[in-house]
Amino acid sequence: MQNTKLTLLAAFILIVAGSCKKEFSEQQEQKQKTVDPSKVFKTPTTTEEKLLVENLGKVTDVFKELYKDKSNLKVVNAAVFSKAFTDESVLLKDLIYSSTSWLNKVEKFKSLTQRWNVSLTKFADNFWVEVNKKNDPSFKQFLNGLNESIATTPNTATRVETEDGQQVSVYFPYSDEFLPPDGGSYQPITSIATATADADEGWGDLPYYDVNGVFQYYVQVLVNDDYAFANPTHIIGVNGIEIETEPNGPPPPPPPPPGVSRVFIGEAVCKEQYDRLISFTGNGGGSEIKYCHMTGYLQPVNGHVTSFQDIASVDFSRKNIRQKNWVRTFTVWDDDWVPNDLEQFLGIYEEDNTNTRTFNGTIGTTLDSLGIPVQASIGFTISVTSQDDIIRQLKISRNSYFNGSFQNQGQDFSPDATFLPLPYTHGWPAYDVHYWNKSGANVGWTWPYNTF
């Protein structure tokens, strides 16, 4: 009997030793990795930037404590999965100031938290318990500053963000890869990283739990797009996100009067990650591509155009960019391209919050000469905020657009035949990127129209 006990004990020790050896090996493997300098694009340099990154690190430390209890992690995941905010993110202030949180108005969030038996209020309480343990007045002042940037209108779904409010967020890239099950137990695990730079690679921490789901310790991991695509990852940073007031897309515009020719950006694709995976500047996450429309129609002779008339915005997640997925949007690009508007201009850029790029040129159209329409040219100079090169500048005549709108532009056709008249059934032609093999430029689109 004694020998049997000793044999079982020895077997148990070997199992534990083997497990520890495996975990130690994994830790050593991670420590041998280094951040690729070519994937780091901006580090904090000013006093304000360094202080911000320091506070982001303190927020991460608090979250690492909170995530030891998976109920806290479930609240954050519920906020992301509910698409309460753009770009797979949630603002920190909406997690820690529960009474004024936008999440209170989001039915999907309320449904998920009820299903998982978790509470936003409890999360916020737990957060502040951990903050108070730190006894760090400057950190509390930073967090209080987040709350000061909230202005809510009672009994409405309207909230205004002041320009000075730090948009500290939790970003869950590739979250669609890790959607929770419809039923049964949900036991999420996530790595967590701090935005110490604007980068496509950085250090994070992966939690280890025992077989009973009890937290053991964190292991350092190297976070990049490949890692985040395969492993749930939360990044504490500043992504420049917004409230998602229309998670299912904007409602269609009302039907116009007969004879109107309305032009759309139908489907769109982006193959380049224009923003960083990790960011403290607000230029992180997915890419916000702007398909802009400019016309000089009925502008004064000798005038000059300085702004776009319409902008069709398409937000691409990192997953859609990585997989080169076409996104269906059907956003209005021109409300009505009238016959006397001879030429128009399409400009494409990726929106950021720093640096300026300028579109300029001339187009021919019908101008106004003291109330008399005349055909002439007009110049334009339009500045936008972007830290990337301009993606596309295309001047196109009305005849060229409409005569070629059903023809192959060299990039094949989309299968979406919305608005297409018979006998056309193959879909609208793609521009700049081949619809099927994805060859061509970094950004493409289809350009359908409908005559009412």
Side-chain angles (χ1 to χ4, degrees), residues 200-430:
D200 285 335
E201 192 167 83
W203 292 112
D205 292 285
L206 170 67
Y208 267 72
Y209 299 86
D210 65 17
V211 292
N212 296 315
V214 178
F215 172 83
Q216 299 299 300
Y217 51 81
Y218 280 101
V219 174
Q220 191 177 60
V221 291
L222 192 61
V223 174
N224 50 36
D225 276 287
D226 289 340
Y227 182 89
F229 185 70
N231 303 276
T233 304
H234 287 182
I235 300 170
I236 308 296
V238 182
N239 261 25
I241 66 175
E242 300 174 354
I243 290 172
E244 184 58 270
T245 57
E246 297 170 339
N248 297 317
V260 165
S261 295
R262 181 165 287 169
V263 184
F264 301 81
I265 298 298
E267 294 178 84
V269 65
C270 178
K271 298 157 47 183
E272 173 79 9
Q273 301 282 7
Y274 285 97
D275 280 345
R276 308 280 68 89
L277 174 68
I278 300 166
S279 177
F280 70 94
T281 66
N283 295 313
S287 296
E288 302 79 35
I289 303 298
K290 306 296 183 180
Y291 294 82
C292 306
H293 162 242
M294 194 279 296
T295 173
Y297 182 62
L298 294 185
Q299 293 294 309
V301 171
N302 299 323
H304 198 81
V305 180
T306 58
S307 63
F308 290 115
Q309 282 75 36
D310 302 282
I311 298 179
S313 299
V314 184
D315 293 341
F316 293 92
S317 68
R318 294 188 79 85
K319 175 183 175 179
N320 281 331
I321 297 171
R322 179 188 180 95
Q323 297 183 335
K324 304 177 184 178
N325 294 331
W326 284 85
V327 176
R328 191 181 193 277
T329 179
F330 274 84
T331 303
V332 174
W333 180 77
D334 180 11
D335 189 65
D336 182 18
W337 194 339
V338 299
N340 288 333
D341 193 358
L342 307 179
E343 288 183 332
Q344 295 196 3
F345 177 82
L346 168 71
I348 305 177
Y349 74 99
E350 199 277 331
E351 185 179 52
D352 294 307
N353 60 19
T354 60
N355 297 352
T356 299
R357 297 290 183 264
T358 302
F359 296 89
N360 56 67
T362 61
I363 57 173
T365 186
T366 299
L367 303 178
D368 182 279
S369 176
L370 299 177
I372 301 173
V374 296
Q375 293 184 3
S377 294
I378 188 170
F380 62 91
T381 303
I382 304 172
S383 295
V384 297
T385 304
S386 178
Q387 58 187 12
D388 303 293
D389 292 336
I390 289 173
I391 297 171
R392 191 69 158 98
Q393 300 188 82
L394 175 61
K395 180 171 67 174
I396 187 168
S397 71
R398 190 179 191 279
N399 286 339
S400 176
Y401 169 77
F402 283 102
N403 289 338
S405 57
F406 303 144
Q407 307 303 314
N408 194 335
Q409 304 297 313
Q411 308 297 343
D412 217 333
F413 295 91
S414 158
D416 193 329
T418 303
F419 302 144
L420 265 174
L422 294 174
Y424 302 101
T425 58
H426 47 53
W428 295 91

Side-chain angles (χ1 to χ4, degrees), residues 84-325:
F85 297 84
T86 58
D87 206 5
E88 305 177 280
S89 300
V90 56
L91 289 175
L92 175 62
K93 58 192 169 191
D94 286 275
L95 293 170
I96 66 176
Y97 293 105
S98 56
S99 62
T100 54
S101 175
W102 174 255
L103 295 169
N104 294 325
K105 304 179 185 297
V106 180
E107 292 301 322
K108 181 68 178 295
F109 174 76
K110 290 189 284 187
S111 174
L112 287 173
T113 52
Q114 288 171 5
R115 183 198 305 177
W116 298 335
N117 194 28
V118 294
S119 162
L120 176 62
T121 301
K122 185 66 179 297
F123 176 93
D125 291 343
N126 292 340
F127 180 90
W128 289 107
V129 167
E130 295 299 326
V131 170
N132 290 330
K133 287 180 183 178
K134 292 182 174 295
N135 193 25
D136 186 340
S138 64
F139 182 42
K140 291 191 74 171
Q141 183 180 2
F142 170 77
L143 297 172
N144 290 336
L146 303 183
N147 193 34
E148 291 170 0
S149 69
I150 296 177
T152 53
T153 304
N155 303 318
T156 73
T158 302
R159 188 174 76 170
V160 178
E161 307 290 348
T162 64
E163 292 183 0
D164 295 332
Q166 293 283 7
Q167 301 292 290
V168 178
S169 59
V170 183
Y171 176 41
F172 188 174
Y174 305 103
S175 59
D176 285 350
E177 294 293 299
F178 310 103
L179 292 173
D182 291 334
S185 177
Y186 177 51
Q187 297 298 325
I189 297 175
T190 188
S191 302
I192 187 167
T194 306
T196 57
D198 273 23
D200 285 335
E201 192 167 83
W203 292 112
D205 292 285
L206 170 67
Y208 267 72
Y209 299 86
D210 65 17
V211 292
N212 296 315
V214 178
F215 172 83
Q216 299 299 300
Y217 51 81
Y218 280 101
V219 174
Q220 191 177 60
V221 291
L222 192 61
V223 174
N224 50 36
D225 276 287
D226 289 340
Y227 182 89
F229 185 70
N231 303 276
T233 304
H234 287 182
I235 300 170
I236 308 296
V238 182
N239 261 25
I241 66 175
E242 300 174 354
I243 290 172
E244 184 58 270
T245 57
E246 297 170 339
N248 297 317
V260 165
S261 295
R262 181 165 287 169
V263 184
F264 301 81
I265 298 298
E267 294 178 84
V269 65
C270 178
K271 298 157 47 183
E272 173 79 9
Q273 301 282 7
Y274 285 97
D275 280 345
R276 308 280 68 89
L277 174 68
I278 300 166
S279 177
F280 70 94
T281 66
N283 295 313
S287 296
E288 302 79 35
I289 303 298
K290 306 296 183 180
Y291 294 82
C292 306
H293 162 242
M294 194 279 296
T295 173
Y297 182 62
L298 294 185
Q299 293 294 309
V301 171
N302 299 323
H304 198 81
V305 180
T306 58
S307 63
F308 290 115
Q309 282 75 36
D310 302 282
I311 298 179
S313 299
V314 184
D315 293 341
F316 293 92
S317 68
R318 294 188 79 85
K319 175 183 175 179
N320 281 331
I321 297 171
R322 179 188 180 95
Q323 297 183 335
K324 304 177 184 178
N325 294 331

